[in-house]
Amino acid sequence: MSHKGLGSLAVALLVWVCGCAERDTTAPPPPNLDPVVSPTSLAKQTLTGSAEFGSKVKVTGGKADVETVADFFTARFRVEVELNLNSSNALKLTAVDAAGNSSEAATATILQQPVKPDAVELAAQPVPVSADDGALTATARISSFEQGVDLSNVSITFSIEGLTGIAPQTVKTNAAGLATAAFTGLTTAGAGSLKATADVNGAFKAIPISVLAGRPSQVTLKLFKNTETVELADPVTVNVGDTLRTDAKAVDLNGNAVDVPILVSTNLPGALLQGKELT
């Protein structure tokens, strides 16, 4: 008996058996996405969840499309998505199995927005300010409960209230959340407050400040007869034994009154100042 025919039959059977194998066309289920954080000030967010074992998880709708693979044993996945800034990011996640079948999309929306400070700290130097110098440096620091956010480029408006003539200043924070403003022209003695406000949400901090009169630069002295209420006209005529009183005022270069002791003297022997002899 010839074996040639049997060999052909075996090949034919093998081809027939292989030809009957069905191709996998069943789509995997959509990925199960863990809750996302929205709104957020972060530029990136890490998505986690589960999908069919070993499937490829694709994410679209962010700044760039990304993908990862669900763990072959736990089915868990983890992928970082860069977000479109100051935008609502409509994300879609699909699972693709080894046969190329794609699941329906799981969706999530993440609103990315500028950082909104939860607190503003404020400091000023020097305090008090001398009217002779008239300069003050204000430093504000913002903070956020959301860890890892970019604290730069937040507009902080510094303003001085209660002291006239000082214009507000708006400064952007640096990467550390710091903003600094330098004020000049604080030459009028008085008390007021320094305020730093985050423009994006109105968070603010205010601290008291004051301006003190500078060094005395001028003294004005007026002589009066003790029994008169008006100033004596020039020239002043005083008799020996007369009782005199003075109205003395010291001011700094900016006209601020300075409380300093003033010694009054005269070349008129025997004149009295409020019961004391003038020298």
Side-chain angles (χ1 to χ4, degrees), residues 92-198:
K92 293 184 177 181
L93 293 81
T94 55
V96 181
D97 62 18
N101 301 305
S102 181
S103 72
E104 293 185 1
T107 61
T109 300
I110 300 177
L111 174 62
Q112 202 290 333
Q113 62 185 13
V115 61
K116 294 184 177 181
D118 295 298
V120 178
E121 299 175 48
L122 180 61
Q125 287 292 335
V127 176
V129 178
S130 169
D132 284 340
D133 181 45
L136 178 142
T137 299
T139 302
R141 180 194 296 271
I142 62 171
S143 59
S144 173
F145 295 140
E146 192 173 13
Q147 297 296 316
V149 297
D150 183 5
L151 297 175
S152 64
N153 293 316
V154 175
S155 294
I156 302 294
T157 296
F158 294 90
S159 58
I160 292 179
E161 301 174 356
L163 298 170
T164 60
I166 308 300
Q169 298 184 35
T170 299
V171 183
K172 297 282 190 180
T173 57
N174 61 17
L178 290 172
T180 301
F183 289 94
T184 58
L186 293 161
T187 57
T188 301
S193 65
L194 171 68
K195 185 177 181 181
T197 304

Side-chain angles (χ1 to χ4, degrees), residues 16 42 66 68 83 85 101 122 127 149 151 156 164-165 167 199 201-202 205 208 213 221-222 266:
W16 178 80
L42 292 169
V66 292
T68 187
L83 302 174
L85 302 181
N101 301 305
L122 180 61
V127 176
V149 297
L151 297 175
I156 302 294
T164 60
D199 295 350
N201 65 345
K205 177 72 173 182
L221 178 63
K222 298 180 180 180
T266 180

Side-chain angles (χ1 to χ4, degrees), residues 252-264:
D252 66 10
L253 289 172
N254 299 289
N256 299 299
V258 183
D259 184 14
V260 293
I262 300 174
L263 177 64
V264 179

Side-chain angles (χ1 to χ4, degrees), residues 3-130:
H3 296 285
K4 183 176 181 181
L6 291 176
S8 299
L9 178 60
V11 171
L13 288 174
L14 180 61
V15 172
W16 178 80
V17 171
C18 293
C20 291
E22 295 185 5
R23 180 179 176 275
D24 179 9
T25 58
T26 302
N32 291 313
L33 180 63
D34 295 336
V36 298
V37 178
S38 180
T40 180
S41 299
L42 292 169
K44 299 178 181 179
Q45 188 164 153
T46 299
L47 306 182
T48 60
S50 60
E52 184 174 284
F53 297 92
S55 64
K56 184 182 296 184
V57 179
K58 296 184 176 182
V59 183
T60 61
K63 189 172 183 179
D65 295 346
V66 292
E67 60 183 45
T68 187
V69 176
D71 190 271
F72 284 89
F73 299 99
T74 66
R76 297 288 296 173
F77 68 84
R78 182 183 183 90
V79 62
E80 185 178 72
V81 178
E82 189 171 2
L83 302 174
N84 295 297
L85 302 181
N86 304 319
S87 302
S88 180
N89 293 259
L91 305 180
K92 293 184 177 181
L93 293 81
T94 55
V96 181
D97 62 18
N101 301 305
S102 181
S103 72
E104 293 185 1
T107 61
T109 300
I110 300 177
L111 174 62
Q112 202 290 333
Q113 62 185 13
V115 61
K116 294 184 177 181
D118 295 298
V120 178
E121 299 175 48
L122 180 61
Q125 287 292 335
V127 176
V129 178
S130 169

